[in-house]
Amino acid sequence: MPTNKEIMTALYAEIAKGNGRPYVEALADDVTFRAIGSNSWSVKTKGKEELVREIYARVRERMEGPLKSRATRILADGDFVIVQARGDNTLKDGRRYENDYCLVFRMKDGKIQEIEEYLDTELVTDVLGERV
């Protein structure tokens, strides 16, 4: 079985190409997600369906083409994998959305159990608007 770091490295290689399907498939059904901050995008979700519906689909509907993000650093220690990444996206109105992220993942049996996301929340609101 691949290590957690190898799993996340492979997932981000696909995300960089705009293929998010393997990432979504790697989410545990009961995954928890928390985006740090204090704006409308700073939420907590429980479960794969809620995360995809409330965050990923809402971001995706604003984008032209697939969501892309490139890992710049991946560190792992036991069940935890930390990924620093840079988004590489264009909105439907032509503006660029290139946020920087630090994501802390907790893995179990090859699946993503928890995600804690740190990012420029001001940029999210400025470019994506309010999450409605």
Side-chain angles (χ1 to χ4, degrees):
M1 178 175 206
T3 67
N4 291 330
K5 183 175 182 178
E6 290 168 340
I7 291 168
M8 202 57 66
T9 299
L11 293 176
Y12 267 87
E14 290 302 311
I15 293 168
K17 296 186 281 188
N19 180 13
R21 182 174 300 279
Y23 175 86
V24 172
E25 290 172 355
L27 295 171
D29 289 338
D30 61 346
V31 64
T32 59
F33 171 86
R34 184 175 88 148
I36 305 303
S38 57
N39 67 21
S40 65
W41 292 95
S42 303
V43 298
K44 293 179 185 179
T45 65
K46 175 82 170 153
K48 182 191 288 195
E49 281 187 39
E50 184 179 2
L51 172 56
V52 169
R53 180 184 68 245
E54 294 301 320
I55 301 298
Y56 300 149
R58 290 180 185 214
V59 171
R60 174 80 181 89
E61 69 190 14
R62 292 167 168 81
M63 297 298 160
E64 183 66 42
L67 293 174
K68 294 181 184 177
S69 186
R70 182 179 53 81
T72 57
R73 181 174 291 130
I74 299 177
L75 305 169
D77 184 15
D79 292 342
F80 290 91
V81 180
I82 299 170
V83 177
Q84 286 181 282
R86 174 100 173 143
D88 179 21
N89 299 287
T90 303
L91 275 67
K92 289 180 178 176
D93 67 8
R95 291 180 295 148
R96 296 288 299 155
Y97 179 60
E98 300 170 328
N99 211 333
D100 290 300
Y101 303 89
C102 181
L103 299 114
V104 180
F105 296 93
R106 185 177 64 80
M107 308 288 290
K108 183 178 179 188
D109 299 326
K111 291 286 195 177
I112 300 169
Q113 293 292 161
E114 295 177 12
I115 308 165
E116 198 167 80
E117 180 180 78
Y118 299 83
L119 68 160
D120 182 344
T121 57
E122 187 72 24
L123 180 62
V124 174
T125 303
D126 285 350
V127 177
L128 299 183
E130 295 293 321
R131 184 181 68 88
V132 290

